[in-house]
Amino acid sequence: MSVPVLLVLDADPPPRLGSLTGRARILHTDEAGLAARLPVADVLLVWDFTSTAVRDAWPGKGPRPLWVHTASAGVDHLMCPELAASDTRVTNARGVFDQPIAEYVAALVLTMAKDLPRTLELQREGAWRHRESQRVAGTRACVVGSGPIGRAIVSTLKALGIVTALVGRRSRTGIHGPDDLDRLMARADWVIAAAPLTAETHGMFDARRFGMMQPSARFINIGRGQLVVEEALVEAVSKRWIAGAALDVFATEPLPPESPLWRVPGLIVSPHMSGDTVGWRDELGKQFVELYDRWEAGRALPNVVDKKRGYVPGH
């Protein structure tokens, strides 16, 4: 009896899949070889979750894998109409990044409230300059995106005494619907983008929404870069329409050296690292092996993405 073919779209370092020895014939490919190898694969592991090669290669000729797993929370980098219309199941890495990202958001909130960037600048200058900082307890946060990451952010911010409102795709107990977003943003001290990238969320944070925020408010994006109209954010922070911002994701990654985002006073730039803690790749590999165990046994897979919506439903 032949074993399934597992095709891995590689990134460095590669996943540790030794426990699948004898249970899968593992093939590795880079972006250039993906299209040629897709027809022989039963399972595709998108280990290089920064690549859009799947989106480009999927519409080609021949059979396609029965199951695609991406080692990321977002799936926008691999979805195309042909994959969305197919019978192929798509799963994601839901659960691995929730708490690390929530901790990162909390760190950004405290960093901005306590003016830590300026403290470090003054230390380098050898300047003793006493200042007052902001107390975060009692401030208001609007978290946009009601999935596991958004819910972990809410829980972590509540531990700091921040009053939180969570906005999802529809209103239900404990979660506001899209119709409440403008009102909540206008009252918030912290607006945090944690939504998946879909046709509805693309560019949702634009000049109009930044214009309705309080001058003392700050914006944080750990969702997807394309949620934000970056030119509008540059203008909002540069002209002090809002007090500051922090971005961990961008429309183009890596962020080009010529991007004005690097040089906006009051804007913190980090290189898409909010969920990447020590050992995160091992966690992703372990999660995939556990999913493979279930798939091999014919059991239902968790983390199945609604390919039309672009995220895992049920939250």
Side-chain angles (χ1 to χ4, degrees), residues 98-209:
D98 308 352
Q99 191 55 36
I101 291 177
E103 293 172 4
Y104 199 87
V105 168
L108 290 172
V109 167
L110 291 170
T111 292
M112 290 188 280
K114 304 306 178 183
D115 197 23
L116 294 183
R118 183 60 176 151
T119 295
L120 295 175
E121 289 176 7
L122 292 171
Q123 178 181 346
R124 285 191 291 269
E125 297 169 6
W128 180 279
R129 192 168 303 163
H130 181 269
R131 291 148 12 254
E132 295 178 346
S133 64
Q134 181 184 3
R135 182 175 179 175
V136 299
T139 59
R140 295 177 178 272
C142 173
V143 180
V144 185
S146 60
I149 292 173
R151 296 200 301 271
I153 291 169
V154 165
S155 177
T156 302
L157 295 185
K158 281 183 176 179
L160 295 175
I162 298 173
V163 180
T164 60
L166 183 60
V167 180
R169 69 185 186 278
R170 60 181 177 84
S171 176
R172 64 261 201 212
T173 303
I175 300 175
H176 295 269
D179 292 344
D180 293 332
L181 178 56
D182 289 355
R183 174 179 60 83
L184 294 169
M185 282 186 63
R187 299 174 57 197
D189 301 289
W190 313 96
V191 175
I192 298 143
L197 180 62
T198 66
E200 292 75 25
T201 62
H202 191 286
M204 67 184 299
F205 296 102
D206 54 13
R208 183 184 70 83
R209 285 209 160 110

Side-chain angles (χ1 to χ4, degrees), residues 239-251:
K239 294 184 176 179
R240 305 300 291 175
W241 295 346
I242 62 176
L247 302 178
D248 187 55
V249 288
F250 304 88

